[in-house]
Amino acid sequence: MDIRTARPDELPLLPGIERASGEPFRDFGMPEIADDDPMPLETLRHLHVWVAADPHPVAWVAAEVVDGAAHVEQISVHPDHARRGIGAALLDHVGRWAAEQRLDALTLTTFRDIPWNGPYYRRLGFEEVTDLPPGLRAVVEAETARGLDPATRLCLRRPLDGGVRAQY
């Protein structure tokens, strides 16, 4: 599996992966998440985006700098390629990039109780952030404005200075 920066011609492929990765939410009683619109291409063009390709993209991650950390805006793994460590490898790749940028952590927001969300990221070394810095607070406010219930959400952080993730 090759993890690399997404090429401009690959960006239109990413919404399909995001849609497919959202389908398990339907079975978990959250059809509104499965039916949610994928990230717009115009937004993707302004983020740092990497793909896992075999040889075409099967997963991707998009990040931006928020509060001195690499904030993961979206990570999507096509269900046909799930449970193979691809998501963890993408996060590690973003972590290496963030360290090169002299950032101090990875952050993300996710669903608290969905097994492949909150519990999964905790196994990868992420810890809950309860005292939100301004940028992360703005992320949560934007999610709330889009209709996500903040009571079901979780803000997580994995330090880059020796943060060790669990085996997947």
Side-chain angles (χ1 to χ4, degrees), residues 13-40:
L13 304 174
L14 305 186
I17 296 169
E18 185 176 349
R19 277 189 202 95
S21 73
E23 280 302 309
F25 285 96
R26 192 176 310 285
D27 296 334
F28 209 78
M30 299 175 77
E32 68 282 4
I33 301 303
D35 294 334
D36 193 31
D37 290 333
M39 186 176 290

Short mmCIF file of all heavy atoms in Angstrom, two decimals, residues 13-40:
data_model
loop_
_atom_site.label_atom_id
_atom_site.label_comp_id
_atom_site.label_asym_id
_atom_site.label_seq_id
_atom_site.Cartn_x
_atom_site.Cartn_y
_atom_site.Cartn_z
N LEU A 13 -12.16 11.26 -6.76
CA LEU A 13 -12.41 9.87 -6.34
C LEU A 13 -12.70 9.78 -4.84
O LEU A 13 -13.31 8.81 -4.38
CB LEU A 13 -11.20 8.99 -6.65
CG LEU A 13 -10.72 8.95 -8.09
CD1 LEU A 13 -9.43 8.15 -8.20
CD2 LEU A 13 -11.81 8.38 -8.99
N LEU A 14 -12.28 10.77 -4.08
CA LEU A 14 -12.35 10.68 -2.62
C LEU A 14 -13.77 10.74 -2.06
O LEU A 14 -14.06 10.03 -1.09
CB LEU A 14 -11.44 11.73 -2.00
CG LEU A 14 -9.97 11.68 -2.48
CD1 LEU A 14 -9.13 12.66 -1.70
CD2 LEU A 14 -9.40 10.28 -2.44
N PRO A 15 -14.69 11.53 -2.62
CA PRO A 15 -16.06 11.52 -2.07
C PRO A 15 -16.71 10.13 -2.13
O PRO A 15 -17.47 9.77 -1.22
CB PRO A 15 -16.80 12.53 -2.94
CG PRO A 15 -15.73 13.49 -3.37
CD PRO A 15 -14.52 12.61 -3.59
N GLY A 16 -16.43 9.35 -3.15
CA GLY A 16 -16.98 8.00 -3.23
C GLY A 16 -16.48 7.11 -2.11
O GLY A 16 -17.24 6.31 -1.55
N ILE A 17 -15.21 7.26 -1.76
CA ILE A 17 -14.65 6.50 -0.64
C ILE A 17 -15.30 6.96 0.66
O ILE A 17 -15.66 6.14 1.52
CB ILE A 17 -13.11 6.66 -0.59
CG1 ILE A 17 -12.47 6.06 -1.84
CG2 ILE A 17 -12.54 6.03 0.69
CD1 ILE A 17 -11.01 6.40 -2.02
N GLU A 18 -15.49 8.27 0.80
CA GLU A 18 -16.12 8.80 2.01
C GLU A 18 -17.56 8.30 2.14
O GLU A 18 -17.99 7.90 3.22
CB GLU A 18 -16.09 10.33 2.00
CG GLU A 18 -16.63 10.94 3.27
CD GLU A 18 -16.51 12.45 3.31
OE1 GLU A 18 -15.83 13.04 2.44
OE2 GLU A 18 -17.11 13.05 4.23
N ARG A 19 -18.30 8.31 1.03
CA ARG A 19 -19.68 7.80 1.07
C ARG A 19 -19.71 6.34 1.50
O ARG A 19 -20.50 5.94 2.35
CB ARG A 19 -20.35 7.95 -0.29
CG ARG A 19 -20.92 9.31 -0.54
CD ARG A 19 -21.75 9.32 -1.83
NE ARG A 19 -21.84 10.66 -2.33
CZ ARG A 19 -21.03 11.19 -3.26
NH1 ARG A 19 -20.09 10.47 -3.80
NH2 ARG A 19 -21.18 12.43 -3.63
N ALA A 20 -18.86 5.53 0.88
CA ALA A 20 -18.81 4.10 1.21
C ALA A 20 -18.42 3.88 2.66
O ALA A 20 -18.99 3.01 3.34
CB ALA A 20 -17.83 3.37 0.27
N SER A 21 -17.47 4.67 3.16
CA SER A 21 -17.03 4.49 4.56
C SER A 21 -18.11 4.92 5.54
O SER A 21 -18.08 4.53 6.71
CB SER A 21 -15.73 5.25 4.82
OG SER A 21 -15.95 6.64 4.89
N GLY A 22 -19.08 5.71 5.08
CA GLY A 22 -20.18 6.12 5.95
C GLY A 22 -21.30 5.11 6.05
O GLY A 22 -22.13 5.19 6.96
N GLU A 23 -21.35 4.15 5.15
CA GLU A 23 -22.44 3.18 5.14
C GLU A 23 -22.60 2.39 6.45
O GLU A 23 -23.72 2.13 6.87
CB GLU A 23 -22.32 2.22 3.96
CG GLU A 23 -22.82 2.81 2.67
CD GLU A 23 -24.28 3.26 2.74
OE1 GLU A 23 -25.16 2.47 3.16
OE2 GLU A 23 -24.54 4.42 2.38
N PRO A 24 -21.53 2.01 7.14
CA PRO A 24 -21.71 1.29 8.42
C PRO A 24 -22.52 2.06 9.46
O PRO A 24 -23.13 1.46 10.34
CB PRO A 24 -20.28 1.03 8.89
CG PRO A 24 -19.48 0.97 7.63
CD PRO A 24 -20.12 2.01 6.74
N PHE A 25 -22.57 3.38 9.34
CA PHE A 25 -23.37 4.17 10.28
C PHE A 25 -24.86 3.86 10.11
O PHE A 25 -25.62 3.93 11.07
CB PHE A 25 -23.12 5.67 10.08
CG PHE A 25 -21.81 6.13 10.62
CD1 PHE A 25 -20.70 6.24 9.80
CD2 PHE A 25 -21.67 6.46 11.96
CE1 PHE A 25 -19.48 6.66 10.30
CE2 PHE A 25 -20.46 6.89 12.47
CZ PHE A 25 -19.36 6.98 11.64
N ARG A 26 -25.27 3.50 8.91
CA ARG A 26 -26.66 3.15 8.65
C ARG A 26 -27.06 1.95 9.51
O ARG A 26 -28.10 1.94 10.15
CB ARG A 26 -26.85 2.84 7.16
CG ARG A 26 -28.29 2.74 6.73
CD ARG A 26 -28.42 2.53 5.22
NE ARG A 26 -27.67 3.47 4.41
CZ ARG A 26 -28.01 4.75 4.19
NH1 ARG A 26 -29.10 5.23 4.76
NH2 ARG A 26 -27.27 5.52 3.43
N ASP A 27 -26.20 0.94 9.55
CA ASP A 27 -26.47 -0.26 10.35
C ASP A 27 -26.40 0.01 11.85
O ASP A 27 -26.91 -0.77 12.64
CB ASP A 27 -25.49 -1.38 9.99
CG ASP A 27 -25.64 -1.84 8.55
OD1 ASP A 27 -26.76 -1.70 8.00
OD2 ASP A 27 -24.65 -2.33 7.98
N PHE A 28 -25.77 1.10 12.22
CA PHE A 28 -25.63 1.48 13.63
C PHE A 28 -26.77 2.42 14.05
O PHE A 28 -26.74 2.99 15.13
CB PHE A 28 -24.27 2.14 13.86
CG PHE A 28 -23.73 1.95 15.25
CD1 PHE A 28 -23.14 0.75 15.62
CD2 PHE A 28 -23.82 2.97 16.18
CE1 PHE A 28 -22.65 0.58 16.90
CE2 PHE A 28 -23.32 2.80 17.47
CZ PHE A 28 -22.74 1.60 17.83
N GLY A 29 -27.76 2.59 13.18
CA GLY A 29 -28.91 3.43 13.50
C GLY A 29 -28.68 4.91 13.28
O GLY A 29 -29.37 5.74 13.87
N MET A 30 -27.70 5.25 12.44
CA MET A 30 -27.39 6.66 12.16
C MET A 30 -27.43 6.92 10.64
O MET A 30 -26.42 7.28 10.04
CB MET A 30 -26.03 7.02 12.75
CG MET A 30 -25.95 6.84 14.26
SD MET A 30 -24.30 7.12 14.91
CE MET A 30 -24.20 8.90 14.88
N PRO A 31 -28.61 6.73 10.02
CA PRO A 31 -28.68 6.92 8.56
C PRO A 31 -28.34 8.34 8.13
O PRO A 31 -27.85 8.55 7.01
CB PRO A 31 -30.13 6.56 8.22
CG PRO A 31 -30.88 6.77 9.49
CD PRO A 31 -29.91 6.43 10.60
N GLU A 32 -28.57 9.33 9.01
CA GLU A 32 -28.27 10.71 8.64
C GLU A 32 -26.77 10.91 8.44
O GLU A 32 -26.35 11.76 7.64
CB GLU A 32 -28.80 11.68 9.70
CG GLU A 32 -28.11 11.63 11.04
CD GLU A 32 -28.51 10.47 11.96
OE1 GLU A 32 -29.30 9.61 11.56
OE2 GLU A 32 -28.01 10.43 13.10
N ILE A 33 -25.95 10.13 9.12
CA ILE A 33 -24.50 10.21 8.92
C ILE A 33 -24.13 9.52 7.61
O ILE A 33 -23.33 10.03 6.82
CB ILE A 33 -23.74 9.60 10.11
CG1 ILE A 33 -24.12 10.33 11.41
CG2 ILE A 33 -22.23 9.64 9.88
CD1 ILE A 33 -23.88 11.82 11.40
N ALA A 34 -24.74 8.36 7.36
CA ALA A 34 -24.48 7.65 6.10
C ALA A 34 -24.89 8.49 4.90
O ALA A 34 -24.25 8.45 3.85
CB ALA A 34 -25.22 6.32 6.10
N ASP A 35 -25.96 9.27 5.06
CA ASP A 35 -26.48 10.08 3.96
C ASP A 35 -25.86 11.48 3.88
O ASP A 35 -26.20 12.25 2.97
CB ASP A 35 -28.00 10.21 4.09
CG ASP A 35 -28.71 8.88 3.91
OD1 ASP A 35 -28.15 7.99 3.24
OD2 ASP A 35 -29.81 8.71 4.47
N ASP A 36 -24.99 11.82 4.82
CA ASP A 36 -24.39 13.14 4.85
C ASP A 36 -23.56 13.36 3.59
O ASP A 36 -22.90 12.44 3.08
CB ASP A 36 -23.50 13.28 6.09
CG ASP A 36 -23.09 14.71 6.36
OD1 ASP A 36 -23.86 15.63 6.03
OD2 ASP A 36 -21.99 14.90 6.92
N ASP A 37 -23.57 14.59 3.09
CA ASP A 37 -22.77 14.92 1.92
C ASP A 37 -21.29 14.78 2.23
O ASP A 37 -20.84 15.18 3.31
CB ASP A 37 -23.05 16.35 1.46
CG ASP A 37 -24.44 16.49 0.87
OD1 ASP A 37 -24.97 15.50 0.33
OD2 ASP A 37 -24.99 17.60 0.94
N PRO A 38 -20.51 14.25 1.29
CA PRO A 38 -19.06 14.18 1.51
C PRO A 38 -18.44 15.57 1.48
O PRO A 38 -19.07 16.55 1.05
CB PRO A 38 -18.56 13.32 0.35
CG PRO A 38 -19.61 13.41 -0.68
CD PRO A 38 -20.91 13.69 0.01
N MET A 39 -17.21 15.63 1.90
CA MET A 39 -16.48 16.89 1.91
C MET A 39 -16.39 17.44 0.48
O MET A 39 -16.02 16.70 -0.44
CB MET A 39 -15.07 16.66 2.48
CG MET A 39 -14.28 17.93 2.66
SD MET A 39 -12.68 17.63 3.46
CE MET A 39 -13.19 17.19 5.11
N PRO A 40 -16.73 18.70 0.29
CA PRO A 40 -16.67 19.28 -1.07
C PRO A 40 -15.24 19.30 -1.61
O PRO A 40 -14.28 19.49 -0.86
CB PRO A 40 -17.20 20.70 -0.87
CG PRO A 40 -17.95 20.67 0.42
CD PRO A 40 -17.29 19.63 1.27
#
